[in-house]
Amino acid sequence: EVQLVASGGGLVQPGGSLKLSCVASGFTFSTYGMTWVRQAPGKDIESVAAIHYTGGGPYYADSVNGRFTISRDNAKNTLYLQLNSLKTDDTGMYYCAKGYILRPTNSHVRGQGTQVTVSS
């Protein structure tokens, strides 16, 4: 059974930083691309960053490019997302998803996400 458990979210002021982690199990993590997907109230589900299984070829949504950095540690079955210069628009629930996903659906926002709230 595929399990994806995200953590590291919290309440942060605009301009602040957070680092999210996602521990994966139930599949061979090192052979799959991975994606961070964001779900915010009243907005479409959005892939904010994706990374190939090698760690290369990162994708970033225009809204986060230059502020977020995706990375992975295949030895630890863990995906990361460094969030810098946070904005109120970054508020939402963040999930990690198996695969290199540019058009996420509701199926990609399952499992344990982590809430990021950016507010002064």
Side-chain angles (χ1 to χ4, degrees), residues 2-7 20-25 27 29 33-39 45-51 70-72 77-81 93-101 104-114:
V2 172
Q3 289 196 329
L4 299 165
V5 180
S7 62
L20 309 184
S21 300
C22 173
V23 178
S25 61
F27 64 103
F29 179 79
M34 295 293 295
T35 304
W36 284 100
V37 176
R38 178 169 69 191
Q39 185 174 39
I45 298 168
E46 176 185 27
S47 287
V48 296
I51 191 169
I70 190 171
S71 62
R72 64 190 296 159
N77 286 0
T78 302
L79 179 72
Y80 302 101
L81 187 67
M93 186 70 80
Y94 286 70
Y95 299 84
C96 62
K98 175 186 171 186
Y100 194 95
I101 302 159
T105 66
N106 287 336
S107 67
H108 299 118
V109 291
R110 294 175 181 170
Q112 181 174 319
T114 187

